[in-house]
Amino acid sequence: MSWDDYRLLLELRRQGSFLAAGARLGLSASTVMRRIGKLEEGLGRTLVHRTARGVRLEPEAEELARMAEQFEHALAARVRDAAESPFAGSVRVSVSDGFAPYIAEATTRVRRVHPEIHVEIVTEQRYADLSTREADLGLRAISPVGARTRSDASPVLIEKPLGDIVSGLFASRDYLDRHLPSRSLADADFSAHDFIVDEYVGRRPCTTDWLLQRGAHRFPLRTNSVAARMHAARGGMGLVIGAIGAVDEQRGLERVRLETPGPSLTFCLVMHEELRKVPRVRAMVSAITEMFDAYLERQRRAGD
């Protein structure tokens, strides 16, 4: 098999159809089908099935596509590393949606000193595989719900602890005036209120499981977008979990007093061990650490 064959299977896996894969590769759908047929003939087995929803790859083809993806990530990482200046090049950072603005702030700080550094911020449901250099840095929650990928447990990865982020409950003045004028919520009263939550609540471990443990069951909106959750809360839809130090994020909302403190998560930066001495990565780590320290100070002041 040639690299073109591997890449063809990779795009079929990603795009789900001959037409879409061909568009990504600059080929017609008929050319993609012909090349797949030729590949299957040469290997003596079926690799791709057509279905009503597109295409389905056989397990062997899936494995070949994964190999192609790993090579693609490794190649992209080498390109990022091949810079003339110690600080020139790209740093790819994988974070959850809510942290993207803070990484953007860290990028602004680091580029004031090293404008030759370029940063790529990747926000996604599936955390990037740091062991294969799909990203250079990852901001990861490590407790209490254990929101870590299997790759984050790899022996080639190292962690830099950043600190604990504590959450609270917030709502609009309108919602509180109508449903919680005391601005104080006891554990026994969660079942009487509406909560705007992550779409995965109750389906996989996440911070909002803290609500379920207190009897919350009315979820008028589920979304993995932090911005959407805060927007809905400002509109009076219900209570929302928010990090206590995220002042800008919670403008227009009031914090609710709780009988039991809200959930907390411990965060760290994760990177491949071969990057620990790369100047541009170290500069970005330093900027993110400073940003996180400033956040923790805002959190401390808000909690006083």
Side-chain angles (χ1 to χ4, degrees):
M1 289 178 63
S2 69
W3 165 242
D4 286 340
D5 294 329
Y6 282 100
R7 192 177 177 204
L8 194 62
L9 289 171
L10 176 58
E11 289 303 332
L12 276 172
R13 175 172 170 251
R14 285 173 171 169
Q15 308 303 325
S17 74
F18 291 113
L19 183 63
R24 284 283 297 173
L25 298 171
L27 304 171
S28 66
S30 59
T31 299
V32 173
M33 287 187 282
R34 184 170 63 252
R35 284 178 50 179
I36 289 294
K38 193 172 181 179
L39 180 60
E40 291 176 329
E41 182 181 347
L43 293 174
R45 61 183 65 88
T46 299
L47 297 174
V48 180
H49 296 279
R50 291 176 115 177
T51 72
R53 296 184 178 180
V55 297
R56 177 177 61 81
L57 272 62
E58 282 287 322
E60 181 181 359
E62 285 277 359
E63 180 60 29
L64 293 172
R66 281 193 293 270
M67 291 170 59
E69 189 170 44
Q70 290 173 3
F71 176 76
E72 186 180 72
H73 293 325
L75 185 60
R78 295 305 172 205
V79 170
R80 294 197 297 273
D81 292 345
E84 295 180 5
S85 162
F87 289 95
S90 297
V91 180
R92 190 173 173 85
V93 186
S94 166
V95 295
S96 58
D97 172 63
F99 281 105
Y102 299 99
I103 304 303
E105 172 60 26
T107 301
T108 301
R109 295 181 186 185
V110 79
R111 280 183 48 81
R112 287 176 185 148
V113 182
H114 301 292
E116 65 270 43
I117 295 177
H118 298 272
V119 178
E120 303 171 17
I121 301 174
V122 184
T123 62
E124 49 195 349
Q125 289 289 305
R126 178 191 65 82
Y127 280 140
D129 187 343
L130 300 170
S131 64
T132 62
R133 296 287 305 278
E134 190 176 349
D136 302 311
L137 291 173
L139 186 61
R140 299 291 187 256
I142 59 175
S143 69
V145 297
R148 301 172 64 181
T149 63
R150 286 190 303 170
S151 65
D152 286 345
S154 169
V156 302
L157 298 179
I158 57 177
E159 298 176 352
K160 175 181 173 58
L162 294 174
D164 295 344
I165 288 185
V166 181
S167 298
L169 279 178
F170 299 82
S172 68
R173 176 177 296 180
D174 174 64
Y175 182 90
L176 295 173
D177 287 344
R178 287 185 291 117
H179 302 289
L180 195 63
S182 67
R183 269 61 172 175
S184 181
L185 186 61
D187 287 354
D189 297 332
F190 276 60
S191 61
H193 288 276
D194 293 326
F195 293 90
I196 304 156
V197 296
D198 186 284
E199 66 172 317
Y200 290 107
V201 64
R203 292 183 233 165
R204 72 182 190 192
C206 60
T207 307
T208 43
D209 288 347
W210 178 79
L211 299 174
L212 297 177
Q213 294 164 7
R214 283 154 184 78
H217 63 93
R218 289 162 42 179
F219 306 130
L221 177 64
R222 301 170 185 248
T223 173
N224 65 335
S225 168
V226 174
R229 291 200 294 270
M230 295 304 164
H231 183 81
R234 279 190 285 271
M237 189 179 293
L239 295 151
V240 65
I241 288 182
I244 289 174
V247 179
D248 292 339
E249 186 179 280
Q250 290 142 15
R251 292 197 187 282
L253 298 175
E254 296 183 23
R255 186 176 165 193
V256 175
R257 293 186 300 274
L258 298 171
E259 178 182 349
T260 303
S264 65
L265 288 172
T266 300
F267 281 85
C268 67
L269 269 177
V270 184
M271 74 185 85
H272 198 288
E273 61 182 359
E274 68 184 24
L275 295 176
R276 72 167 77 204
K277 295 184 179 180
V278 176
R280 70 180 186 281
V281 175
R282 293 181 65 177
M284 195 63 193
V285 168
S286 178
I288 293 174
T289 302
E290 290 177 7
M291 175 274 302
F292 211 92
D293 288 344
Y295 176 92
L296 292 177
E297 177 58 24
R298 289 196 303 273
Q299 176 179 272
R300 186 193 65 77
R301 292 198 302 267
D304 290 343

